[in-house]
Amino acid sequence: MSRESSMKPAYQILAYLTSDRDRVISGGPLLLYSDNLEELKQMTVDIAKGMKADVVQMTNGDYLVIRV
């Protein structure tokens, strides 16, 4: 096994969902913003379901959709 492949994380961040405009940055994973918390929660569930992934709610209230 190469050293590079053994250093990859055991997960992949597929999406980041937030209700705080200050945390919206461009980057690798899909990033979605909504100031409506119910809409944000529903989008998170829908994306995770469609991608067959897991959801992690961070302590700041944002969501990560990850695949382990």
Side-chain angles (χ1 to χ4, degrees), residues 4 8-9 15 17 19 23 27-28 31 37 50 52 54 57 60 62 64-65:
E4 184 177 323
K8 288 183 181 178
L17 294 93
S19 62
R23 287 195 287 269
L31 177 92
L37 293 178
K52 295 182 178 156
D54 296 311
Q57 184 176 18
N60 65 8
D62 292 351
L64 289 173
V65 178

Side-chain angles (χ1 to χ4, degrees), residues 14-15 30 45-54 65-67:
L14 304 174
L30 174 65
V45 169
D46 292 345
I47 290 168
K49 190 178 196 180
M51 294 182 161
K52 295 182 178 156
D54 296 311
V65 178
I66 63 170
R67 182 172 294 136

Side-chain angles (χ1 to χ4, degrees), residues 5 17 25-27 31-33 37 40 44 46 52 54 67-68:
S5 65
L17 294 93
I25 57 171
S26 61
L31 177 92
L32 296 173
Y33 164 81
L37 293 178
L40 188 71
T44 302
D46 292 345
K52 295 182 178 156
D54 296 311
R67 182 172 294 136
V68 181

Side-chain angles (χ1 to χ4, degrees), residues 2 4 6-7 9 12 15 17-18 24-26 28 35 37-39 42 45 59 63 68:
S2 73
E4 184 177 323
S6 66
M7 296 182 70
Q12 179 183 16
L17 294 93
T18 184
V24 175
I25 57 171
S26 61
D35 57 3
L37 293 178
E38 287 306 312
E39 180 182 60
Q42 190 59 54
V45 169
T59 56
Y63 295 92
V68 181

